[in-house]
Amino acid sequence: MALPVTNGSERGTAAEVETLEIELLLEGIYRRYGFDFREYAPASLRRRLWRRIHAEGLESISGLQERVLHDANAMESLLLDLSVNVTAMFRDPSFYVAFRRKVVPLLRTYPFTRIWVAGCSTGEEVFSLAMLLDEEGAYERTRIYATDINEVVLDRARKGVFPLDKMQEYTQNYIRAGGTRSFSEYYVARYDGARFARELAEGVVFAQHNLVSDAAFNEFNVIMCRNVLIYFAQPLQERVHGLFYDSLAMFGVLALGQKETIRFSPHEPSFEELDAEERLFKKVR
Ligand SMILES: C[S@@+](CC[C@H](N)C(=O)[O-])C[C@H]1O[C@@H](n2cnc3c(N)ncnc32)[C@H](O)[C@@H]1O
């Protein structure tokens, strides 16, 4: 017996079915692999799912569900698409200028500091931070914890080798970020790319950590998390703000960068603005 088709226009129905398929896919991924994308911002999630559907030669979200549930390699490719790993050295150079001026002086007041770079992708941001701290004479007294949901990008980050053809752009970023040396001192050109000085990674621990499902793991003086929360829907953003609040020492700094904010979040009253443009916030209560 055919089920009666209920109310709603054809377009409305198709959109509703797609939403349902996406929910089922995300639930399946969570239960099969433990990656929880259920509260990511829907519009960008949908775009990325369709990109993968086309890349896999499939035609529907349900088709993608079938593929990823049975094929861990397809899941790995989807994870790369969903986790959006775009990054750059000294990305948004003005952020580093503000960090140097407003955060480094605070770091100098401690004998030892811990910095968490959450959502570090392939590590360009971490190496940039290490250079800045080294130039400010603060790196030796710092331990950086660089985490990401995605093991594949972490493996790349650990290598500290970045595309040679990016070095011109990164040199410009470095200069605009207030770098005090010559950028080319930091790397040697090899056949596989620009290999950055080993010492830069000596104070860094790279580890997998999922902001959605993993707990606080240390107490930090600075948490840097840029271009990550934009992919999360508001309730999830607020939960992660809570995780950052719990993970920061009193007077610690939350560095979100230009695209994100804790304004309008329930945690806003616990922070004081250090830099409005670059979204640097100090935990004050
Ligand atoms: C666009 S990149 C940003 C990289 C760097 N922070 C920057 O600003 O250049 C976003 C990163 O967040 C990571 N990410 C996405 N969801 C995450 C989660 N739930 N937990 C931890 N990292 C996550 C992605 O894997 C990706 O590497």
Side-chain angles (χ1 to χ4, degrees), residues 36-37 40 79-80 82-89 91-92 96 117-125 147-150 153 209-213 224-232 236 240:
D36 191 354
F37 290 100
Y40 277 45
L79 183 60
L80 275 171
L82 292 185
S83 58
V84 193
N85 305 115
V86 179
T87 186
M89 284 190 140
R91 180 179 192 177
D92 301 326
Y96 291 89
V117 182
C120 68
S121 188
T122 37
E124 284 83 340
E125 188 178 41
T147 64
D148 201 281
I149 187 179
N150 190 332
V153 293
H209 180 277
N210 188 338
L211 289 166
V212 180
S213 48
M224 193 159 152
C225 183
R226 302 189 306 150
N227 306 299
V228 180
L229 299 183
I230 34 168
Y231 300 105
F232 297 176
L236 177 55
V240 178

Side-chain angles (χ1 to χ4, degrees), residues 93-124:
S94 55
F95 171 85
Y96 291 89
V97 173
F99 192 95
R100 212 183 271 266
R101 282 205 198 120
K102 298 187 177 169
V103 182
V104 171
L106 299 177
L107 298 182
R108 290 195 208 288
T109 63
Y110 300 104
F112 191 81
T113 54
R114 279 188 294 269
I115 300 182
W116 177 15
V117 182
C120 68
S121 188
T122 37
E124 284 83 340

Side-chain angles (χ1 to χ4, degrees), residues 2-256:
L3 286 173
V5 176
T6 50
N7 51 36
S9 70
E10 273 304 309
R11 283 188 68 204
T13 308
E16 281 160 24
V17 170
E18 190 195 58
T19 304
L20 174 63
E21 282 184 290
I22 292 178
E23 282 172 18
L24 293 171
L25 166 65
L26 299 180
E27 185 65 29
I29 290 172
Y30 176 56
R31 288 170 61 174
R32 172 86 169 86
Y33 296 102
F35 292 115
D36 191 354
F37 290 100
R38 294 174 299 177
E39 288 182 85
Y40 277 45
S44 97
L45 195 65
R46 180 177 175 276
R47 244 190 344 266
R48 284 163 209 296
L49 288 175
W50 276 105
R51 186 178 303 166
R52 179 87 329 245
I53 288 166
H54 294 137
E56 296 278 342
L58 297 166
E59 280 173 6
S60 67
I61 292 173
S62 299
L64 184 63
Q65 171 172 327
E66 218 238 324
R67 172 91 32 108
V68 296
L69 291 186
H70 294 280
D71 179 351
N73 291 328
M75 181 60 223
E76 196 166 286
S77 305
L78 178 60
L79 183 60
L80 275 171
D81 283 351
L82 292 185
S83 58
V84 193
N85 305 115
V86 179
T87 186
M89 284 190 140
F90 294 98
R91 180 179 192 177
D92 301 326
S94 55
F95 171 85
Y96 291 89
V97 173
F99 192 95
R100 212 183 271 266
R101 282 205 198 120
K102 298 187 177 169
V103 182
V104 171
L106 299 177
L107 298 182
R108 290 195 208 288
T109 63
Y110 300 104
F112 191 81
T113 54
R114 279 188 294 269
I115 300 182
W116 177 15
V117 182
C120 68
S121 188
T122 37
E124 284 83 340
E125 188 178 41
V126 180
F127 279 78
S128 308
L129 180 64
M131 285 176 217
L132 183 156
L133 293 171
D134 191 45
E135 290 174 11
E136 294 298 324
Y139 190 49
E140 276 187 0
R141 293 179 291 108
T142 307
R143 169 63 41 106
I144 300 176
Y145 296 80
T147 64
D148 201 281
I149 187 179
N150 190 332
E151 244 333 315
V152 175
V153 293
L154 285 170
D155 265 349
R156 278 195 229 149
R158 286 185 189 102
K159 294 196 174 85
V161 179
F162 303 113
L164 261 181
D165 61 7
K166 292 278 183 191
M167 290 306 120
Q168 215 171 349
E169 175 194 331
Y170 293 171
T171 304
Q172 290 309 314
N173 284 356
Y174 171 78
I175 294 166
R176 288 170 54 214
T180 59
R181 295 184 192 147
S182 161
F183 187 62
S184 58
E185 281 176 30
Y186 286 110
Y187 66 90
V188 285
R190 288 275 184 272
Y191 69 95
D192 57 345
R195 186 173 288 270
F196 277 72
R198 284 256 150 254
E199 302 79 61
L200 287 174
E202 266 167 17
V204 185
V205 178
F206 288 101
Q208 191 178 34
H209 180 277
N210 188 338
L211 289 166
V212 180
S213 48
D214 292 336
F217 61 96
N218 212 328
E219 191 179 74
F220 299 95
N221 305 97
V222 176
I223 298 176
M224 193 159 152
C225 183
R226 302 189 306 150
N227 306 299
V228 180
L229 299 183
I230 34 168
Y231 300 105
F232 297 176
Q234 190 63 27
L236 177 55
Q237 289 196 14
E238 289 172 8
R239 281 219 313 279
V240 178
H241 292 152
L243 171 67
F244 290 160
Y245 176 82
D246 292 341
S247 307
L248 269 178
M250 190 53 76
F251 308 123
V253 175
L254 179 59
L256 292 178

Side-chain angles (χ1 to χ4, degrees), residues 245 262-272 282-285:
Y245 176 82
I262 49 154
R263 290 205 61 207
F264 316 115
S265 151
H267 292 278
E268 181 181 2
S270 311
F271 289 90
E272 212 173 77
K282 182 155 90 171
K283 173 172 166 176
V284 289
R285 55 183 72 86

